[in-house]
């Protein structure tokens, strides 16, 4: 996980390299790279929690993610700095939101808006209530949704970073994330063909059988579930005929520096289009793999 100034500089270079090599994803990079950079910078600035989440090893072993064992978020978390960092990144990625983000940022700064209570209010799951809250804040509902999803990702990534050393000692056999319970948005094949699933919400990664579907646990011993495109052996997609889900997959066996998973996932966006045209749906929906969204992308 990105954590130093050098890592952030490397990430900026990798984004530029991707922009040159893959001009078809330039608009996705324009939109989402400020969030990637902003998250990395914010994570570098915020302290690691000394008060860790109390993991119950038995529940964990039985497949209960931390998010179901207790409250991952607490009012003491650095919500104000997270909210401001997200607002700034969204402004850079989606220039048409600038006015709304400035408004939100000023309310966060002067304490009128508490990001913790905003993200904790369960009524925001409901579309009409989200619209109501957005109207109170005087911003567009889809922009509020993008803000909330990004804010949750920032904080979840901090939580998974803070818990990484402890979780490394425990075993996890499920296809969903042990921290936040989400399904993976990407898999990376590392040395000896080991498959590491990547969580798009909290950036946690965990090892998982290469032959089994992380979504429905169907196993294909013949290992015929990988779809290759244009003879490219590095970038593939795992597909499951049982649940009709797919998982974009990048083979990086000898990589010394680990490219952040968010960036790899965006560089595979062409696979998302091909797989969705074949009738498969992604295991985890992200803004860049749900076709026709987000509307905020359209200037
Ligand atoms: Zn997660
Ligand atoms: Zn499946």
């Amino acid at each position: 996980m990105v954590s130093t100034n050098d890592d952030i500089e490397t990430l900026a270079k990798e984004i530029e390299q991707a922009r040159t090599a893959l001009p078809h994803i330039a608009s996705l990079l324009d939109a989402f790279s400020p969030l990637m950079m902003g998250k990395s910078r914010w994570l570098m600035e915020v302290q690691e929690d000394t008060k860790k989440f109390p993991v119950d090893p038995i529940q964990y072993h039985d497949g209960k993610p931390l998010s179901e064992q207790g409250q991952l978020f607490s009012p003491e978390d650095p919500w104000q700095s997270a909210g401001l960092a997200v607002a700034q990144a969204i402004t850079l990625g989606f220039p048409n939101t600038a006015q709304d983000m400035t408004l939100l940022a000023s309310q966060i700064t002067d304490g009128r808006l508490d990001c913790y209570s905003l993200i904790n209010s369960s009524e925001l799951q409901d579309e009409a209530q989200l619209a109501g809250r957005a109207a109170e804040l005087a911003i567009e509902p889809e922009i509020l949704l993008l803000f909330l999803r990004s804010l949750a990702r920032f904080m979840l990534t901090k939580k998974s970073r803070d818990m990484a050393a402890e979780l490394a000692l425990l075993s996890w056999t499920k296809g969903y994330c042990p921290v936040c319970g989400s399904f993976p948005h990407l898999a990376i094949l590392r040395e000896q063909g080991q498959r590491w699933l990547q969580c798009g919400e909290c950036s946690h990664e965990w090892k998982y059988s290469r032959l089994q579907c992380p979504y429905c646990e169907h196993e294909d011993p013949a290992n015929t579930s990988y779809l290759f495109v244009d003879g490219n052996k590095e970038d593939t997609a795992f597909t499951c005929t049982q649940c009709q889900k797919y998982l974009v997959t990048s083979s990086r066996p000898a990589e010394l520096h680990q490219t952040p998973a968010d960036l790899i996932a965006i560089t595979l966006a062409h696979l998302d289009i091909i797989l969705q045209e074949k009738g498969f749906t992604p295991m985890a929906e992200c803004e860049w793999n749900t076709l026709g969204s987000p509307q905020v992308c359209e200037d």
Side-chain angles (χ1 to χ4, degrees):
M1 201 171 286
V2 173
S3 58
T4 67
N5 262 322
D6 282 354
D7 290 338
I8 291 172
E9 266 177 43
T10 307
L11 173 60
K13 277 189 204 135
E14 285 176 316
I15 290 169
E16 284 322 304
Q17 281 163 3
R19 196 188 298 278
T20 312
L22 307 163
H24 63 278
I25 58 158
S27 62
L28 285 175
L29 288 173
D30 288 343
F32 296 108
S33 62
L35 278 164
M36 276 185 249
M37 294 291 293
K39 189 169 74 171
S40 302
R41 262 190 230 108
W42 178 75
L43 283 169
M44 189 180 73
E45 285 158 16
V46 288
Q47 299 283 320
E48 201 169 304
D49 263 336
T50 42
K51 203 173 79 193
K52 305 267 188 220
F53 184 93
V55 189
D56 179 336
I58 295 166
Q59 289 189 43
Y60 190 88
H61 185 261
D62 290 343
K64 206 167 185 181
L66 305 190
S67 58
E68 286 175 27
Q69 292 188 22
Q71 289 291 335
L72 272 180
F73 293 158
S74 118
E76 283 88 55
D77 293 328
W79 290 102
Q80 193 184 49
S81 69
L84 292 174
V86 169
Q88 192 188 31
I90 292 178
T91 304
L92 291 170
F94 303 88
N96 60 335
T97 69
Q99 215 179 342
D100 283 354
M101 285 300 124
T102 306
L103 197 63
L104 216 53
S106 72
Q107 297 182 61
I108 295 169
T109 305
D110 66 22
R112 272 179 295 155
L113 179 63
D114 171 18
C115 288
Y116 171 71
S117 22
L118 183 67
I119 213 157
N120 246 5
S121 48
S122 51
E123 77 249 25
L124 295 183
Q125 308 292 332
D126 177 278
E127 208 171 307
Q129 307 225 14
L130 178 82
R133 193 74 179 95
E136 279 167 35
L137 293 163
I139 70 171
E140 293 297 324
E142 64 269 29
I143 294 177
L144 177 61
L145 190 62
L146 177 66
F147 176 81
L148 286 171
R149 290 194 64 162
S150 308
L151 180 64
R153 287 193 186 120
F154 272 47
M155 199 57 80
L156 284 170
T157 305
K158 178 187 184 317
K159 297 289 165 184
S160 98
R161 177 195 71 180
D162 293 353
M163 295 302 296
E166 193 169 340
L167 296 188
L169 305 171
L170 301 168
S171 83
W172 182 259
T173 55
K174 294 293 177 185
Y176 50 84
C177 174
V179 177
C180 72
S182 305
F183 281 100
H185 71 138
L186 168 76
I188 298 179
L189 302 178
R190 297 232 168 88
E191 61 278 9
Q192 292 151 7
Q194 287 180 348
R195 178 163 70 160
W196 288 81
L197 305 183
Q198 309 289 322
C199 179
E201 299 301 315
C202 74
S203 302
H204 186 73
E205 64 164 21
W206 67 105
K207 210 159 56 172
Y208 192 79
S209 156
R210 195 169 159 170
L211 307 179
Q212 200 168 30
C213 171
Y215 197 84
C216 72
E217 301 186 351
H218 171 69
E219 197 164 315
D220 174 16
N223 197 11
T224 53
S225 331
Y226 283 87
L227 178 119
F228 294 90
V229 179
D230 302 334
N232 183 336
K233 289 273 183 289
E234 269 105 66
D235 300 333
T236 63
F238 173 88
T239 55
C240 178
T241 49
Q242 293 284 308
C243 67
Q244 292 291 309
K245 297 280 180 191
Y246 73 87
L247 183 63
V248 291
T249 300
S250 183
S251 178
R252 289 160 183 258
E255 196 179 48
L256 287 176
H257 161 77
Q258 291 187 359
T259 303
D262 291 354
L263 179 57
I264 298 177
I266 287 181
T267 64
L268 301 183
H270 59 291
L271 292 178
D272 287 297
I273 294 169
I274 293 167
L275 270 296
Q276 289 177 31
E277 279 172 359
K278 286 181 186 291
F280 293 98
T281 52
M283 287 188 192
E285 292 193 349
C286 307
E287 279 79 3
W288 55 83
N289 70 17
T290 43
L291 295 181
S293 70
Q295 268 103 32
V296 280
C297 271
E298 295 161 13
D299 275 346

